[in-house]
Amino acid sequence: MEKVYLDNAATTQIREEVITRMQEALCIYGNPSSTHSFGRSAKTGIEKARKTIAKYLNAHPSEIVFTSGGTEADNMILRCAVRDLGVRTIITSRVEHHAVLHTAEELEKEFNIALWFVDLDADGNPKPAHLAELLKKDDSKKLVSLMHVNNEVGNLLDLDSVSNLCKEHKALFHSDTVQSVGHFEWDLKESTIDFLTAAAHKFHGPKGIGFAFVRRNSGLKPLIFGGAQERGFRAGTESFHNIVGLEEAFVSAYDNLEKEREYVSGLKEYFINQIKKEIPDTVFNGLSGDMDKSTYTLVNICLPFNKDKGLMLLFHLDLKGIACSKGSACQSGSAKGSHVLTEILSDNNLAKPSLRFSFSKYNTKEELDYTIGVLKEFAAS
């Protein structure tokens, strides 16, 4: 049976060079906080990784804080901004990742802050005019949290435009960039963004490691206490092998970015064209079918099947060896549908099955042909 992995927005295959680097790192077993040579070897590796990441982002090394991944980084930034920076209003959207939405909802209850949602257009993009209106609404200290690449439909946010608008109104700006770090270039000295987040497993690195970019002199204080690690910002013995794995994956992603982006973009364009040809009534959710306005790494399609037939679709694909998803992997254990699609689709299209297919350097056009063939066969059955 053919095995086709098209769920790269959930997690990616680890590069071989990353595995090799991590295996080597596992032999360096000193605690990075120890002052002897064993500990210093690990500490040196961690600080090298921090400097390397900062260099590629054009940031200062002190602005990179290693975390267990994007969810922790999002939680840390939102919670500490409310606790430490006097934020009384969080402005976000209803199509954010739950790491942001659920955190904001908890903060609303715990700290009695205001939680406002920016209006969305028909494709699921935040409306700039409404964001500006919310920023002017009162004099409370505000934090705007809007993701760069929507993890379900792939819409791209104009970060510079939002960042400048926040700056104009003296609001802080955080972006969940888990789907875009490793896939898009950054210049954080030019940008006015205050906080962003990343997870290594989204760009062919290990799970359980990521980082937050926290602008220098932000005023944030630790979320986790108990040690002086990460310059006192995040207590806990550092996961040395994961950090160097993150570094290796990060460097590989950016050193090969142009070549791999061209290749993966070609896969997405091919998939779009073949789907339109073979299953012409397919609808592309959000802006995922627009090569210029969405990430090159995924598409989200609404297929012209009735509800009863659609219930079996994901199971059928799995039986055929094809891995994709109905939405975020974080929702796979939930019986609820996608909160993103619920916000942006008509009732008619919500009744039909939608699937997210996400691509990487390890995929081929032959795999896409096989996948589309299975979908076409299912449609005809």
Side-chain angles (χ1 to χ4, degrees):
M1 181 179 63
E2 186 99 21
K3 283 286 189 181
V4 179
Y5 185 78
L6 294 172
D7 201 16
N8 290 280
T11 197
T12 53
Q13 179 180 336
I14 302 181
R15 295 178 189 263
E16 288 185 12
E17 60 267 32
V18 173
I19 295 172
T20 299
R21 181 86 187 278
M22 291 178 69
Q23 287 173 332
E24 293 169 352
L26 285 168
C27 297
I28 302 174
Y29 54 83
N31 188 316
S33 296
S34 299
T35 57
H36 48 61
S37 62
F38 295 89
R40 291 197 305 272
S41 294
K43 185 68 171 178
T44 298
I46 290 172
E47 294 311 314
K48 175 182 171 293
R50 196 188 316 278
K51 289 176 182 177
T52 299
I53 291 165
K55 179 182 176 182
Y56 278 82
L57 297 177
N58 199 18
H60 192 274
S62 66
E63 296 173 316
I64 306 301
V65 180
F66 292 117
T67 66
S68 63
T71 296
E72 182 195 331
D74 286 336
N75 272 258
M76 176 182 74
I77 290 165
L78 268 63
R79 178 166 287 275
C80 293
V82 169
R83 188 194 63 188
D84 304 329
L85 305 183
V87 167
R88 299 303 304 156
T89 301
I90 291 178
I91 301 172
T92 187
S93 84
R94 295 191 185 276
V95 295
E96 300 300 303
H97 192 281
H98 280 150
V100 168
L101 279 178
H102 288 174
T103 303
E105 289 163 358
E106 286 300 313
L107 291 169
E108 179 186 28
K109 290 186 286 188
E110 186 175 344
F111 290 92
N112 196 32
I113 64 164
L115 177 57
W116 297 341
F117 295 99
V118 63
D119 290 344
L120 304 172
D121 65 22
D123 295 311
N125 297 307
K127 292 183 177 179
H130 187 235
L131 176 58
E133 183 183 321
L134 292 177
L135 286 166
K136 292 184 286 189
K137 192 171 180 180
D138 62 26
D139 294 329
S140 64
K141 180 75 173 180
K142 298 178 179 69
L143 170 73
V144 173
S145 182
L146 296 171
M147 67 201 318
H148 182 212
V149 171
N150 186 277
N151 60 304
E152 292 197 32
V153 295
N155 292 7
L156 281 169
L157 181 73
D158 185 342
L159 283 180
D160 288 337
S161 176
V162 174
S163 188
N164 291 335
L165 187 61
C166 289
K167 191 81 170 176
E168 179 185 340
H169 293 281
K170 297 181 172 55
L172 296 167
F173 180 36
H174 158 258
S175 184
D176 179 328
T177 53
V178 165
Q179 291 290 341
S180 53
V181 169
H183 302 288
F184 293 87
E185 296 94 343
W186 298 89
D187 187 339
L188 294 175
K189 281 198 171 68
E190 287 296 314
S191 172
T192 57
I193 192 169
D194 296 286
F195 313 105
L196 60 77
T197 56
H201 73 107
K202 304 296 187 180
F203 49 88
H204 305 294
K207 299 170 186 65
I209 188 68
F211 65 85
F213 164 78
V214 178
R215 184 76 64 183
R216 273 194 292 180
N217 303 316
S218 69
L220 291 193
K221 296 175 183 176
L223 178 64
I224 299 174
F225 293 88
Q229 293 88 353
E230 293 300 288
R231 295 177 173 83
F233 201 78
R234 183 186 185 270
T237 302
E238 299 94 336
S239 184
F240 173 64
H241 63 292
N242 274 327
I243 289 173
V244 298
L246 162 62
E247 178 195 16
E248 187 71 29
F250 189 89
V251 170
S252 293
Y254 281 104
D255 283 354
N256 296 287
L257 184 61
E258 188 173 340
K259 177 181 69 176
E260 291 179 1
R261 177 165 51 196
E262 182 179 358
Y263 178 74
V264 177
S265 294
L267 292 177
K268 174 174 174 173
E269 188 169 23
Y270 181 79
F271 188 88
I272 289 171
N273 291 335
Q274 292 302 110
I275 280 286
K276 287 179 177 177
K277 177 184 173 184
E278 301 296 339
I279 313 176
D281 292 330
T282 297
V283 173
F284 290 86
N285 295 325
L287 294 172
S288 66
D290 189 321
M291 293 295 296
D292 296 321
K293 296 180 180 178
S294 67
T295 180
Y296 60 94
T297 55
L298 70 85
V299 293
N300 193 308
I301 59 175
C302 179
L303 290 155
F305 307 150
N306 63 45
K307 186 175 182 181
D308 291 337
K309 191 179 182 70
L311 289 172
M312 293 300 295
L313 178 56
L314 205 61
F315 178 67
H316 179 75
L317 289 170
D318 191 36
L319 285 177
K320 294 289 186 177
I322 299 166
C324 61
S325 69
K326 290 192 294 184
S328 167
C330 305
Q331 297 176 177
S332 61
S334 171
K336 295 181 180 179
S338 159
H339 70 288
V340 174
L341 298 184
T342 299
E343 287 293 322
I344 67 175
L345 295 190
S346 65
D347 289 342
N348 182 50
N349 282 342
L350 274 175
K352 300 173 184 176
S354 286
L355 295 175
R356 181 186 69 182
F357 294 92
S358 42
F359 318 109
S360 84
K361 67 185 287 291
Y362 294 108
N363 293 124
T364 65
K365 286 183 178 179
E366 289 74 21
E367 291 178 334
L368 303 188
D369 286 335
Y370 172 70
T371 299
I372 294 168
V374 169
L375 289 172
K376 189 177 179 181
E377 176 188 318
F378 184 82
S381 63

